[in-house]
Amino acid sequence: MKRLDQLDYCHTYADLGASLSSRVNPTPLDDPYLIHANHRLAKTLGIDIESVGDEILTQLLSGQGILDSWSPIAMKYTGHQFGQYNPDLGDGRGLLLTEFVDDKGEKWDFHLKGSGQTPYSRGADGRAVIRSSVREYLISAAMDGLGIPTTCALALSGAKTPIQREEIESAATLLRIAPSHVRFGHFEYLFYSGQPAELKALADYIIHWHMPDLEDSHDKYAAFFQEVTKRTASMIAHWQAYGFCHGVMNTDNMSILGLTFDYGPFAFLDTYLSKHICNHSDYSGRYAFHQQPGIGQWNLSALGYALSSLIDSKQIETSLQGYAPQIQAQYRRLMRARFGLQSKHENDPELINSCLELMEKLGLDFHYTLRVLSETSPNDWAETTLDSTLNKPEFITWLAGYKKRVLLDYSNDQERQTLMQRVNPKYILRTHLAQEAIEQVENGEFDILETWLKVLANPFVEHACPSHWSLPPRNDQKGICLSCSS
Ligand code: AMP
Ligand code: MG
């Protein structure tokens, strides 16, 4: 473990050249305070975050100071927002404070979100508020706990500085950690602004640091695009299998490493609604839940186009054609596991799909339903014994078929239950629960985040926490509106 001031800092991204970033220091916030630091994450990164002390940590998080070895920059990128190309994007409210290389030789970014204005702020305040920062802090841990590739959040601070949103809110900053913050939009920027040498250098850079196995490939840029396609397919397959709606799948919010990125109005499905739109500014439903796999492909096409000076169009097309089968294969594998299906039977996809359709029709909760099935024996799936929220004649009929199917795979039902519990979370960061945590943090109850992080790190086992955390929302807890403005 190394102290914060002893990490092996480097600035490899800034070394790529001046056109890719601007040197900017954070703008200090007033009367900052530490809300939480993720000690478990710090430990896995080999960082001794305690020895720096809360006071200095708070200064670093609030922009009141930086370490001498840091050299903060705002990254320039562009991207397609809701299908339209926008050349004016970039880190408008976050800074790449520094990078460091850990003891295993892996490089990590420290990115401070909410750190003030930059040349890419487009007149906005460069700030983040407690509400959205607590959401990002918790969802980063939730995704990781579910095994979904994601950026991480190391620490969270608040401040008295008032921030104007729909109403006045308090400022916050979040220290985000990821191997890289390079987005599809970085490549689009270099392509549309006519900088092919820089674009090639950026691809070489990502390959060197993050995909070193590709370095000796016969055609490394084609292999690079194929790798991005594969990672994106895997990430989105996980989203679909775990009911995660991102909400703003613009190409500037797509990580080149296939990490879930830039959390905004995201939501996990409560009731299974295949066409759910979690972003209330998404009027056309472009980013609705069921559209996500297709949008992933659209975004990869936009990236492929931006890489056309490096890769033959036929090779781009070949990779893109591989995307749908990859996502489908992974999604099926994850869903088979969630339903506890081991051997392969022709009708399995139909069995799973008919359950999802029934959940939608009957208004059943996606995660809760699967968790109940993983905690009960088929003998309990009858009218007299079934959980009251699932006790509907059509679902009981489906369960009769499902019971026959699982009997083919297990002589001991306990084995099925154990396997299913490992992949069906008991706890999910539902929108109303995140909202409850936000209100507690706003009231100064910061310890709640420690409990949440413990639960989310392993949501598949029972925890000592409020019992309603494992339940679907009541009707009056549904329908919280989320937009990009945060
Ligand atoms: P997002 O919807 O969060 O992905 O943001 C899209 C673009 O707007 C990015 O370039 C952000 O940096 C920028 N942006 C979002 N919110 C703010 C803000 N409060 N101040 C400055 N820039 C922002
Ligand atoms: Mg963004």
Side-chain angles (χ1 to χ4, degrees), residues 64-117:
Q64 294 195 339
I66 57 168
L67 295 184
D68 291 341
S69 38
W70 294 0
S71 181
I73 55 166
M75 287 175 152
K76 173 62 191 167
Y77 52 85
T78 62
H80 281 84
Q81 297 181 302
F82 290 88
Q84 300 295 319
Y85 184 66
N86 183 345
D88 290 328
L89 301 174
D91 285 336
R93 57 159 163 174
L95 293 171
L96 175 61
L97 290 177
T98 184
E99 302 156 44
F100 77 97
V101 177
D102 69 15
D103 288 343
K104 292 179 222 130
E106 311 241 351
K107 191 177 71 60
W108 298 90
D109 287 358
F110 274 3
H111 175 102
L112 189 65
K113 190 163 176 180
S115 53
Q117 288 182 317

Side-chain angles (χ1 to χ4, degrees), residues 61-238:
L61 289 170
S62 64
Q64 294 195 339
I66 57 168
L67 295 184
D68 291 341
S69 38
W70 294 0
S71 181
I73 55 166
M75 287 175 152
K76 173 62 191 167
Y77 52 85
T78 62
H80 281 84
Q81 297 181 302
F82 290 88
Q84 300 295 319
Y85 184 66
N86 183 345
D88 290 328
L89 301 174
D91 285 336
R93 57 159 163 174
L95 293 171
L96 175 61
L97 290 177
T98 184
E99 302 156 44
F100 77 97
V101 177
D102 69 15
D103 288 343
K104 292 179 222 130
E106 311 241 351
K107 191 177 71 60
W108 298 90
D109 287 358
F110 274 3
H111 175 102
L112 189 65
K113 190 163 176 180
S115 53
Q117 288 182 317
T118 78
Y120 317 119
S121 298
R122 295 177 291 158
D125 59 12
R127 294 303 187 189
V129 295
I130 300 240
R131 174 172 52 93
S132 60
S133 305
V134 169
R135 276 168 54 82
E136 176 156 354
Y137 196 68
L138 291 176
I139 188 64
S140 307
M143 297 295 266
D144 194 42
L146 289 169
I148 306 179
T150 180
T151 57
C152 299
L154 186 60
L156 180 63
S157 81
K160 289 238 171 87
T161 311
I163 303 295
Q164 180 70 54
R165 291 293 180 263
E166 272 144 47
E167 44 196 62
I168 300 274
E169 301 189 42
S170 295
T173 63
L174 177 131
L175 185 56
R176 185 162 69 190
I177 311 288
S180 171
H181 280 68
V182 171
R183 305 151 188 263
F184 287 14
H186 280 77
F187 290 93
E188 291 181 283
Y189 158 59
L190 293 172
F191 173 71
Y192 287 103
S193 61
Q195 303 184 66
E198 287 78 0
L199 189 143
K200 184 166 178 289
L202 185 65
D204 286 335
Y205 169 83
I206 294 292
I207 293 167
H208 172 77
W209 282 106
H210 307 291
M211 302 170 185
D213 292 351
L214 305 185
E215 212 132 31
D216 299 325
S217 301
H218 161 63
D219 196 340
K220 71 172 172 174
Y221 301 114
F224 163 64
F225 184 63
Q226 196 163 28
E227 178 68 18
V228 178
T229 303
K230 189 174 115 194
R231 292 186 188 204
T232 305
S234 173
M235 171 182 80
I236 298 177
H238 279 82

Side-chain angles (χ1 to χ4, degrees), residues 77 81 89-90 93 113 176 183 248 250 252-254 261-263:
Y77 52 85
Q81 297 181 302
L89 301 174
R93 57 159 163 174
K113 190 163 176 180
R176 185 162 69 190
R183 305 151 188 263
V248 206
N250 295 333
D252 54 300
N253 292 339
M254 297 291 290
F261 202 12
D262 261 16
Y263 292 102

Side-chain angles (χ1 to χ4, degrees), residues 440-479:
Q440 285 167 307
V441 169
E442 284 175 338
N443 285 333
E445 296 167 48
F446 301 158
D447 288 351
I448 199 71
L449 296 182
E450 187 64 31
T451 313
W452 264 113
L453 288 192
K454 235 183 243 151
V455 168
L456 295 173
N458 186 354
F460 303 106
V461 298
E462 179 123 16
H463 288 273
C465 64
S467 58
H468 71 280
W469 286 14
S470 64
L471 298 176
R474 297 186 311 260
N475 279 340
D476 62 313
Q477 292 169 320
K478 291 182 182 169

